[in-house]
Amino acid sequence: MSDRTAGERLPAWVPAMWAAVLFAALLTPASPAHASHPNPSSTRHLHTMHYASSGTAAGANDEQFCVESKDTAKVSHSSARAFVKQTLTEMGAGKVWDGLGNWRIDLWATASNCTSYPASTRNTIEIEVHYGWDWSSRCGGSVGYYNCVVHDNAVWDAAHGHYDSQWAYVYLVFSSGGRLDTVGRAFINHEFGHVFGLTDDNGVCNPPSLMHSTIVGYSCNNWPNWYPSPSDFQSVVNVMA
């Protein structure tokens, strides 16, 4: 297992490689069958989401996440953390990823920002959320434009016969995903759809999905809400199977 330093989890070349793969995928039309459906690559979802949680506190099969701001004068660590936590876990039934699949997704926010932890502790955190002005070195595209997700450290899942990923990194730019408003919530949920194995827009609008909605910059207006659609939730449950 690769170790994380206090500043970065990954070797410098890893995010660039995965981001390049992600950017290429965004430019390649998918088949209609993949609209709001599982990504064909098993390494594009988290290992823990296949397994039941402890149900009481963050444990081995839960999804812990930490939140970090690259510019705390713009958005503080604590404000970003509170907003992500609220979006993912506190907005009510049918609007949050938390609890999906009989709690195979069980999201727990850490108490502090990501880089505050020593490598041994940080290695146990499944998801990192990073706010910043620009992630083009990670996500590709124009400066300050793209949000993205990077998965890392493929692990063999014998029960499901595939490799999936131990860690995921969510990169949010202040201009869209890093906004502390409804648009920001939509991008957070969209990117967490990627964390849990969903694909992006392919020009097919049915079933309705946050993954190809106008609220996150895609072409379909039949799901204008900031939270995942029923088909998004079902698609992630399908990934868990």
Side-chain angles (χ1 to χ4, degrees):
M1 179 174 70
S2 60
D3 291 327
R4 306 170 216 178
T5 66
E8 293 289 345
R9 280 183 173 178
L10 307 176
W13 58 269
V14 174
M17 178 191 72
W18 278 98
V21 172
L22 172 67
F23 189 59
L26 290 175
L27 297 177
T28 304
S31 69
H34 289 150
S36 184
H37 287 84
N39 193 301
S41 172
S42 63
T43 58
R44 301 298 289 276
H45 66 251
L46 282 183
H47 176 77
T48 52
M49 59 187 284
H50 288 299
Y51 301 98
S53 73
S54 60
T56 54
N61 291 333
D62 301 314
E63 292 77 34
Q64 286 194 92
F65 63 91
C66 61
V67 182
E68 181 96 5
S69 177
K70 193 174 182 180
D71 183 351
T72 54
K74 171 66 175 177
V75 176
S76 69
H77 299 313
S78 59
S79 293
R81 175 189 176 276
F83 190 76
V84 174
K85 181 174 181 286
Q86 184 184 59
T87 299
L88 295 174
T89 71
E90 299 172 359
M91 300 301 288
K95 294 183 178 180
V96 296
W97 288 110
D98 196 34
L100 189 64
N102 293 320
W103 293 97
R104 280 174 287 177
I105 291 178
D106 192 2
L107 290 157
W108 294 80
T110 62
S112 300
N113 55 298
C114 305
T115 57
S116 68
Y117 295 104
S120 58
T121 301
R122 201 170 168 188
N123 280 337
T124 67
I125 301 170
E126 287 80 13
I127 306 166
E128 292 192 359
V129 181
H130 292 271
Y131 279 63
W133 292 100
D134 171 54
W135 298 114
S136 56
S137 63
R138 311 282 175 147
C139 303
S142 303
V143 172
Y145 187 73
Y146 279 117
N147 308 277
C148 71
V149 169
V150 175
H151 291 84
D152 183 46
N153 203 36
V155 293
W156 178 247
D157 187 333
H160 296 87
H162 64 224
Y163 283 94
D164 39 34
S165 291
Q166 182 178 6
W167 300 316
Y169 310 85
V170 178
Y171 295 102
L172 302 173
V173 291
F174 289 132
S175 62
S176 57
R179 291 166 50 170
L180 304 183
D181 60 12
T182 299
V183 171
R185 291 197 199 281
F187 276 100
I188 290 168
N189 279 314
H190 176 94
E191 298 306 329
F192 269 76
H194 289 310
V195 169
F196 301 132
L198 299 189
T199 58
D200 242 322
D201 175 57
N202 65 359
V204 178
C205 293
N206 285 302
S209 171
L210 183 58
M211 304 310 291
H212 48 232
S213 170
T214 53
I215 197 170
V216 291
Y218 288 110
S219 60
C220 300
N221 60 12
N222 59 345
W223 188 259
N225 305 300
W226 55 263
Y227 48 90
S229 73
S231 62
D232 294 330
F233 288 132
Q234 184 58 53
S235 293
V236 171
V237 171
N238 294 343
V239 173
M240 296 173 182

